[in-house]
Coordinates of all heavy atoms in Angstrom, one line a residue:
Q1 N 0.8 -1.2 0.0 CA 0.0 0.0 0.0 C 0.9 1.2 0.0 O 1.4 1.7 1.1 CB -0.9 0.0 1.2 CG -1.9 1.1 1.2 CD -2.9 1.1 2.4 OE1 -2.9 0.2 3.2 NE2 -3.7 2.1 2.5
V2 N 1.1 1.8 -1.2 CA 1.9 3.0 -1.3 C 1.2 4.2 -0.8 O 0.0 4.4 -1.2 CB 2.3 3.2 -2.8 CG1 3.1 4.5 -2.9 CG2 3.2 2.0 -3.2
Q3 N 1.9 5.0 0.0 CA 1.3 6.3 0.5 C 2.4 7.4 0.4 O 3.5 7.1 0.7 CB 0.8 6.2 1.9 CG -0.5 5.5 2.1 CD -1.1 5.7 3.5 OE1 -0.6 5.1 4.4 NE2 -2.0 6.6 3.6
L4 N 1.9 8.5 -0.1 CA 2.8 9.7 -0.1 C 2.0 10.8 0.5 O 0.9 11.2 0.1 CB 3.1 10.1 -1.6 CG 3.8 9.0 -2.4 CD1 3.8 9.4 -3.9 CD2 5.3 8.9 -1.9
E5 N 2.6 11.4 1.6 CA 1.9 12.4 2.3 C 2.7 13.7 2.3 O 3.7 13.8 3.0 CB 1.7 12.0 3.8 CG 0.9 12.9 4.6 CD 0.5 12.3 6.0 OE1 1.1 11.3 6.3 OE2 -0.3 13.0 6.7
E6 N 2.2 14.7 1.6 CA 2.9 16.0 1.5 C 2.4 16.9 2.6 O 1.3 16.9 3.1 CB 2.6 16.7 0.2 CG 3.0 15.9 -1.1 CD 1.9 14.9 -1.6 OE1 0.9 14.7 -0.9 OE2 2.1 14.4 -2.7
S7 N 3.3 17.8 3.0 CA 3.0 18.8 4.1 C 4.0 20.0 3.9 O 5.0 19.9 3.2 CB 3.1 18.2 5.5 OG 4.4 17.7 5.7
G8 N 3.7 21.0 4.7 CA 4.6 22.2 4.7 C 4.1 23.4 3.9 O 4.7 24.4 4.1
G9 N 3.1 23.2 3.1 CA 2.6 24.3 2.3 C 1.8 25.3 3.2 O 1.6 25.2 4.4
G10 N 1.4 26.4 2.5 CA 0.6 27.4 3.2 C 0.7 28.7 2.5 O 1.3 28.8 1.4
P11 N 0.1 29.8 3.0 CA 0.2 31.1 2.4 C 1.6 31.7 2.7 O 2.1 31.6 3.8 CB -0.9 31.9 3.1 CG -1.0 31.2 4.5 CD -0.7 29.7 4.3
V12 N 2.1 32.4 1.8 CA 3.4 33.1 1.9 C 3.4 34.3 1.0 O 2.8 34.3 -0.1 CB 4.5 32.1 1.6 CG1 4.5 31.6 0.1 CG2 5.9 32.7 1.9
Q13 N 4.1 35.3 1.4 CA 4.3 36.5 0.5 C 5.3 36.3 -0.5 O 6.3 35.5 -0.4 CB 4.6 37.7 1.4 CG 3.5 38.1 2.3 CD 3.7 39.4 3.1 OE1 4.6 40.1 2.7 NE2 3.0 39.6 4.1
V14 N 5.2 37.1 -1.6 CA 6.2 37.1 -2.6 C 7.6 37.4 -2.0 O 7.8 38.2 -1.2 CB 5.9 38.2 -3.7 CG1 7.1 38.4 -4.6 CG2 4.7 37.8 -4.5
G15 N 8.6 36.5 -2.4 CA 9.9 36.7 -1.9 C 10.2 35.8 -0.7 O 11.3 35.7 -0.2
G16 N 9.1 35.2 -0.1 CA 9.3 34.4 1.1 C 9.7 33.0 0.8 O 10.0 32.6 -0.4
S17 N 9.8 32.2 1.8 CA 10.3 30.8 1.7 C 9.3 29.8 2.4 O 8.6 30.1 3.3 CB 11.6 30.7 2.3 OG 12.6 31.5 1.7
L18 N 9.3 28.6 1.9 CA 8.6 27.5 2.4 C 9.4 26.2 2.2 O 10.2 26.1 1.2 CB 7.2 27.3 1.8 CG 6.1 28.2 2.2 CD1 4.9 27.9 1.3 CD2 5.8 28.1 3.7
K19 N 9.3 25.3 3.1 CA 9.9 24.0 2.9 C 8.8 22.9 2.9 O 8.1 22.7 4.0 CB 11.0 23.7 4.0 CG 11.8 22.4 3.7 CD 12.9 22.3 4.6 CE 13.8 21.1 4.3 NZ 15.0 20.9 5.2
L20 N 8.7 22.2 1.9 CA 7.7 21.1 1.8 C 8.4 19.7 2.1 O 9.6 19.5 1.9 CB 7.2 21.0 0.3 CG 6.5 22.2 -0.2 CD1 6.0 21.9 -1.6 CD2 5.4 22.7 0.7
S21 N 7.6 18.9 2.7 CA 8.0 17.5 3.0 C 7.1 16.5 2.4 O 5.9 16.8 2.2 CB 8.1 17.3 4.5 OG 9.1 18.2 5.1
C22 N 7.6 15.3 2.1 CA 6.8 14.2 1.7 C 7.3 13.0 2.3 O 8.4 12.6 2.1 CB 6.9 14.1 0.1 SG 6.1 12.6 -0.5
V23 N 6.4 12.4 3.1 CA 6.7 11.1 3.8 C 6.2 10.0 3.0 O 5.0 10.0 2.7 CB 6.2 11.1 5.2 CG1 6.5 9.8 5.9 CG2 6.8 12.3 6.0
A24 N 7.0 9.0 2.7 CA 6.6 7.9 1.8 C 6.6 6.6 2.6 O 7.3 6.4 3.6 CB 7.6 7.7 0.7
S25 N 5.6 5.8 2.2 CA 5.5 4.5 2.9 C 5.0 3.5 1.9 O 4.4 3.9 0.8 CB 4.7 4.5 4.1 OG 3.3 4.9 3.8
G26 N 5.2 2.2 2.2 CA 4.6 1.2 1.3 C 5.5 0.7 0.2 O 5.1 -0.1 -0.6
F27 N 6.7 1.3 0.1 CA 7.7 0.8 -0.9 C 9.1 1.2 -0.5 O 9.2 1.9 0.5 CB 7.3 1.5 -2.3 CG 7.5 3.0 -2.4 CD1 8.7 3.5 -3.0 CD2 6.6 3.8 -1.8 CE1 8.8 4.9 -3.0 CE2 6.8 5.2 -1.9 CZ 7.9 5.7 -2.5
T28 N 10.0 0.6 -1.1 CA 11.4 0.9 -0.8 C 11.8 2.2 -1.3 O 12.4 2.4 -2.4 CB 12.3 -0.2 -1.3 OG1 11.8 -1.5 -0.9 CG2 13.7 -0.1 -0.7
F29 N 11.6 3.2 -0.5 CA 11.8 4.6 -0.9 C 13.2 4.9 -1.4 O 13.4 5.6 -2.4 CB 11.5 5.5 0.3 CG 11.8 7.0 0.1 CD1 10.9 7.7 -0.7 CD2 12.9 7.6 0.6 CE1 11.1 9.1 -0.9 CE2 13.1 9.0 0.4 CZ 12.2 9.7 -0.3
G30 N 14.2 4.3 -0.8 CA 15.6 4.5 -1.1 C 16.0 4.0 -2.5 O 17.1 4.3 -3.0
N31 N 15.2 3.2 -3.1 CA 15.5 2.6 -4.4 C 14.9 3.4 -5.6 O 15.1 3.0 -6.7 CB 14.9 1.1 -4.5 CG 15.7 0.2 -3.6 OD1 16.8 0.5 -3.1 ND2 15.2 -1.0 -3.5
F32 N 14.2 4.4 -5.3 CA 13.5 5.2 -6.4 C 14.0 6.6 -6.5 O 14.2 7.3 -5.5 CB 12.0 5.2 -6.1 CG 11.3 3.8 -6.3 CD1 11.3 2.9 -5.3 CD2 10.7 3.6 -7.5 CE1 10.8 1.6 -5.5 CE2 10.1 2.3 -7.7 CZ 10.1 1.4 -6.7
D33 N 14.1 7.0 -7.8 CA 14.2 8.4 -8.1 C 12.9 9.1 -7.7 O 11.9 8.5 -8.0 CB 14.6 8.7 -9.5 CG 15.9 8.1 -9.9 OD1 16.7 7.6 -9.1 OD2 16.2 8.1 -11.2
M34 N 13.0 10.3 -7.2 CA 11.8 11.0 -6.8 C 11.7 12.4 -7.4 O 12.7 12.9 -7.9 CB 11.7 11.1 -5.3 CG 11.6 9.8 -4.5 SD 10.1 8.8 -4.9 CE 8.9 9.9 -4.1
S35 N 10.5 12.9 -7.4 CA 10.3 14.2 -8.0 C 9.2 15.0 -7.3 O 8.4 14.5 -6.5 CB 9.9 14.1 -9.5 OG 8.6 13.5 -9.6

């Protein structure tokens, strides 16, 4: 059961910064190229 859970987004002003995360499960994450 593959799951991908994104987080970290939200409202931000022009010029600002955000860091997104994606937690993966259900497969061998380290064996795959990601995007």
Side-chain angles (χ1 to χ4, degrees):
Q1 186 178 353
V2 174
Q3 280 192 286
L4 299 168
E5 186 175 8
E6 300 92 347
S7 63
V12 63
Q13 294 185 14
V14 170
S17 298
L18 286 173
K19 188 172 185 178
L20 305 181
S21 298
C22 171
V23 178
S25 61
F27 67 103
T28 308
F29 177 75
N31 288 350
F32 288 84
D33 297 353
M34 297 296 293
S35 67

